[in-house]
Amino acid sequence: MSEDRAESREAQPESWAGFDVNEFQRRVIAEFRANNGKMSGMFEGWTLTVLTTVGARSGLRRESILGYLEFDGKGIVVASANGADKHPAWYHNIRRNPIVTVETGTDTYQAIAAVPPARERDKLFDRVITEAPGYADHQARTTREIPVVVLNRIGPRPGEERVKGMGDWVVEVHGWLREELGTLRTRVDRVIEGGADTIERTQPDLAQQMRTHCLSFCGALKKHHGGEDAAVFPMLARQFPALAPALARLGEEHKVVARLQDDIQQLVDGFVPGETDPAQLRTDLERLANQLESHFAYEEETIVTALNATAPAPRFG
């Protein structure tokens, strides 16, 4: 058995010489599932969960039976390994791939497993040992700091409406920015299709329309990505070590994004009706827009799930 629910119970199967721990856990998991989480024998009255992770090395599904707590509507598991000096395998798994499946006996849900930063971890561990004092005994047996892991549910609870998350907001902002890019493309296409008559418009001229639109677009882009770098990305990096490479890449891409928005603005500001080649302008705009779209797509692929599971969408007005 991986974790103690409350009392400090010393009779743990790992300590029995020659005992097949894996077979024991398979039997416990089978009983757990057959009885909707209600256990008998040495685990009677315990609140457990079956946590399914993806092996850090093997890439295979791995099941662990753990003690389970719930604070403020979020599942909590503790990587105590009964006070062993090494982290349990499932903890290494969630650091490599934080998407897990959680079974409580009455509910099964997908979650993204977060590793809280030090100060938050300490507060959580204090709450853990208040409800389950056995974990204090586990900590006393080892010099390693026992991690506390928060299981952030992906999607709503059964019967509840889905709440819009921070990730949804990011996708919405990307959608708006994509629309703005589309409008810029359309306005350049009008120049190409309309010939001299379109270029000669003066009230307001097309260059001014494009310039105003571009300023709005670039300003939103700068605010959007500056906010991510200043607050959201560092928070994600602390909680989800597996996302660190993607966040580092996005951070570098945001420097490129800043240059792209300046390039788009300069491209539009430099448009002179009757002098600028609109076809070349369209080609240059498409190249810059495609680079932005690639960034948007990668950002959505890598961080939206974590953002939705950990933070609600910001409210304005």
Side-chain angles (χ1 to χ4, degrees), residues 144-158:
R144 73 177 172 95
E145 182 177 81
I146 292 177
V148 180
V149 175
V150 180
L151 304 173
N152 297 280
R153 181 187 289 262
I154 298 172
R157 292 176 179 274

Side-chain angles (χ1 to χ4, degrees), residues 116-174:
R119 192 170 295 179
E120 184 181 344
R121 177 266 172 203
D122 293 344
K123 291 180 180 178
L124 281 172
F125 194 70
D126 287 343
R127 293 184 67 179
V128 165
I129 61 177
T130 296
E131 290 203 23
Y135 288 114
D137 296 334
H138 295 177
Q139 182 63 85
R141 295 175 196 158
T142 180
T143 56
R144 73 177 172 95
E145 182 177 81
I146 292 177
V148 180
V149 175
V150 180
L151 304 173
N152 297 280
R153 181 187 289 262
I154 298 172
R157 292 176 179 274
E160 293 183 358
E161 291 187 5
R162 186 179 182 278
V163 176
K164 186 168 76 171
M166 175 70 81
D168 298 317
W169 177 78
V170 168
V171 173
E172 287 182 2
V173 171
H174 286 175

Side-chain angles (χ1 to χ4, degrees), residues 225-239:
H225 288 101
E228 288 173 353
D229 291 335
V232 176
F233 281 11
M235 177 270 290
L236 288 179
R238 288 193 299 268
Q239 295 190 63

